[in-house]
Amino acid sequence: MNGKFIVIEGLEGAGKTTACKIVEKILREHGIDNIVFTREPGGTPISEKLRDLFKRGVGQERLNIKAELLILYAARVQLVETVIKPALKRGMWVIGDRHDLSSQAYQGAGRKIDPQLILLLRNMILGDFSPDLTLYLDIPHLIGLKRVNARGELDRIEQEVSSFFTRTRACYLEAAALDASIMTIDATEPFEKVTESIYSCVSRWLQQQKDM
């Protein structure tokens, strides 16, 4: 099979990092070893600098929500054009921790930015480029927050109010219901059950790719 782009999405504490490792294990079990990992924002030296700006801000200055959105798309286009697309062209498989759906959910629904603005940015910057498969790890914010708190200090986004994450999660669920390439995993289940669900979704999808 040609290289594919698989993305893991979800709220903070959903277990995206672990899910990326599980997907890697599944791919290797299917004989796919040419794998590249990315994360958003980040994934290149420039994008990592933008990630730090996005996560931490600068001093006491409040980051305007539209500036926040532009920072994310700047980091994203740098990653897509210099890492993801070249890797796919070489036949590599790319596993991404977040992609464009995050901006739709967090900045569109969470920040209440006009969806038309986000759509305009997406069309201008990404065109028709999109993941081949997205796994959305669904978890209520308060459960995810307990997990995040155990990791230490919260970043700028993790400190948002519950209503922000309620809107973000609703957007994720709506997008998953409308897009067949987005598969929802119940991330509140025990680790073994979540792993089993990811195995089932990805293995079934891989078989479909082989049959095409």
Side-chain angles (χ1 to χ4, degrees):
M1 288 185 287
N2 294 327
K4 303 292 183 182
F5 182 27
I6 301 174
V7 170
I8 312 299
E9 289 278 1
L11 296 182
E12 281 67 19
K16 296 185 301 299
T17 300
T18 300
C20 286
K21 295 176 181 177
I22 295 171
V23 171
E24 178 195 13
K25 188 171 186 292
I26 297 169
L27 294 181
R28 294 194 186 282
E29 289 176 357
H30 282 77
I32 300 168
D33 295 315
N34 49 337
I35 300 169
V36 173
F37 289 93
T38 68
R39 69 174 182 175
E40 291 195 25
T44 80
I46 290 175
S47 296
E48 287 294 328
K49 291 290 186 181
L50 291 169
R51 176 189 179 87
D52 187 63
L53 178 61
F54 168 75
K55 288 281 190 177
R56 305 298 171 188
V58 177
Q60 299 301 311
E61 182 179 0
R62 184 175 181 82
L63 183 61
N64 178 272
I65 60 173
K66 291 181 180 178
E68 176 183 280
L69 180 66
L70 291 172
I71 287 171
L72 289 169
Y73 271 100
R76 180 167 300 134
V77 71
Q78 185 71 15
L79 175 65
V80 168
E81 295 298 335
T82 66
V83 175
I84 298 178
K85 283 185 177 179
L88 294 172
K89 190 174 181 179
R90 297 194 306 270
M92 306 289 288
W93 286 61
V94 181
I95 300 174
D97 182 338
R98 297 197 182 282
H99 187 56
D100 191 67
L101 183 56
S102 281
S103 291
Q104 297 174 42
Y106 279 78
Q107 282 67 51
R111 296 286 192 221
K112 299 182 180 179
I113 295 178
D114 185 352
Q116 291 303 314
L117 174 59
I118 297 178
L119 180 61
L120 176 64
L121 279 172
R122 177 193 155 68
N123 289 341
M124 290 178 62
I125 293 173
L126 299 178
D128 60 359
F129 180 79
S130 62
D132 296 286
L133 172 67
T134 298
L135 296 180
Y136 164 57
L137 306 179
D138 183 48
I139 190 171
H141 166 55
L142 292 180
I143 296 177
L145 184 61
K146 289 181 181 179
R147 299 178 182 178
V148 172
N149 277 323
R151 299 201 298 249
E153 183 181 355
L154 301 182
D155 65 30
R156 191 176 62 86
I157 300 300
E158 292 165 347
Q159 295 177 40
E160 281 292 341
V161 297
S162 292
S163 58
F164 170 88
F165 291 103
T166 297
R167 293 191 299 272
T168 300
R169 182 189 181 201
C171 181
Y172 270 127
L173 290 169
E174 181 180 0
L178 297 173
D179 189 338
S181 71
I182 304 173
M183 298 184 181
T184 301
I185 304 292
D186 184 352
T188 65
E189 295 278 7
F191 175 76
E192 294 77 11
K193 180 64 176 177
V194 173
T195 300
E196 180 183 319
S197 297
I198 294 174
Y199 257 87
S200 176
C201 286
V202 176
S203 296
R204 184 170 64 251
W205 177 79
L206 285 170
Q207 187 58 54
Q208 292 172 351
Q209 303 309 300
K210 292 177 181 178
D211 293 340
M212 290 176 64

